[in-house]
Amino acid sequence: MNTHSQHLLLEFFDCDAQSLDNQALIEALMVDAANASGVSIVQKIFHTFSPQGVTGVVVIEESHLSIHTWPEAGYASVDFYTCGDASPENAIAIIQKGLQAKRFELLKVLRGQSLNQQSMLIAQHLSNGN
Amino acid sequence: MNTHSQHLLLEFFDCDAQSLDNQALIEALMVDAANASGVSIVQKIFHTFSPQGVTGVVVIEESHLSIHTWPEAGYASVDFYTCGDASPENAIAIIQKGLQAKRFELLKVLRGQSLNQQSMLIAQHLSNGN
């Protein structure tokens, strides 16, 4: 069986602080992201921390999606880890728009194969205001 | 608040196939790994796939730990994502020994800060047979 997987590590900066502390909004966004990526949800956990911040993990048949938010810093960290034919790139715009992130960075790591035989893609994106 | 976090991406190769398909063993290993790292478990999900393979995610106060196994390929992918003063390096030997992995690779990414201002550490380790 093919162990090759895509792991997108995403850093969303300058997000809307209220959205980052809204567990219901974050959960809906991650479910939308999963659906847009063409993956199948197995189970999910979402948790709000005190005094603020949300963590969510969505276990999918193709591996997992996760989000951790720091509302006070306007920052969210998101991972899309998918094996098979999923299209996790489809989820990026959904998360960026939902969090109103002004910019984000992406690191793509190919898992299930030697890490030092690959070129890692680091990309920076600025919001176009849409 | 400080958003800086450590994200260890670990690839364990040439593992024991039976261990990789043993959900109870995998779950116990991940709990041991969390405890050795000094993190606090919030909630966990473990799931066995058909015909084989285990996925587990442990949500911790400091972010998350995850594992995905491919018994037929002797391969497991593990992530330790921790903010604060956790010591996720302590968990590596526990997982390696528990899965009887003959070698592993580690990619350490510092999250919560610009990805392109850091040097990423990629390390390869061979089992010493212990």
Side-chain angles (χ1 to χ4, degrees), chain B residues 8-73:
Chain B
L8 307 188
L9 289 75
L10 288 148
E11 307 282 83
F12 291 96
F13 299 105
D14 299 329
C15 303
D16 176 61
Q18 285 195 330
S19 300
L20 291 178
D21 206 33
N22 182 334
Q23 182 179 322
L25 180 149
I26 300 278
E27 186 165 346
L29 271 183
M30 292 298 280
V31 170
D32 284 353
N35 292 335
S37 304
V39 299
S40 300
I41 295 174
V42 173
Q43 209 172 332
K44 53 193 165 70
I45 296 173
F46 284 81
H47 183 84
T48 300
F49 289 97
S50 174
Q52 54 185 341
V54 174
T55 274
V57 176
V58 182
V59 172
I60 56 178
E61 289 186 4
E62 299 80 1
S63 293
H64 75 266
L65 318 176
S66 69
I67 186 166
H68 306 291
T69 76
W70 279 256
E72 67 279 33

Side-chain angles (χ1 to χ4, degrees), chain A:
Chain A
M1 189 188 173
N2 187 349
T3 61
H4 291 192
S5 306
Q6 301 183 68
H7 189 169
L8 307 188
L9 289 73
L10 288 147
E11 307 283 82
F12 290 97
F13 300 105
D14 300 329
C15 302
D16 175 61
Q18 286 195 328
S19 300
L20 292 178
D21 207 32
N22 183 335
Q23 182 180 324
L25 180 149
I26 301 279
E27 185 165 346
L29 271 183
M30 293 298 281
V31 170
D32 284 352
N35 291 335
S37 304
V39 299
S40 301
I41 295 175
V42 173
Q43 208 172 331
K44 52 191 167 72
I45 295 174
F46 283 82
H47 184 82
T48 301
F49 289 96
S50 175
Q52 55 186 339
V54 174
T55 274
V57 176
V58 182
V59 172
I60 56 178
E61 289 186 5
E62 298 81 1
S63 293
H64 75 267
L65 317 177
S66 69
I67 185 167
H68 306 292
T69 76
W70 279 256
E72 66 280 31
Y75 164 72
S77 155
V78 176
D79 285 57
F80 297 126
Y81 187 131
T82 57
C83 59
D85 294 328
S87 304
E89 291 83 356
N90 293 349
I92 298 174
I94 291 171
I95 302 291
Q96 182 180 20
K97 188 172 181 185
L99 301 180
Q100 301 173 50
K102 291 197 175 61
R103 62 189 181 92
F104 70 92
E105 291 183 7
L106 163 67
L107 171 64
K108 182 173 177 174
V109 181
L110 301 179
R111 307 290 296 264
Q113 53 196 288
S114 184
L115 292 168
N116 69 355
Q117 289 172 8
Q118 60 180 282
S119 301
M120 284 173 211
L121 167 71
I122 298 182
Q124 284 191 299
H125 300 265
L126 296 174
S127 170
N128 60 7
N130 293 328

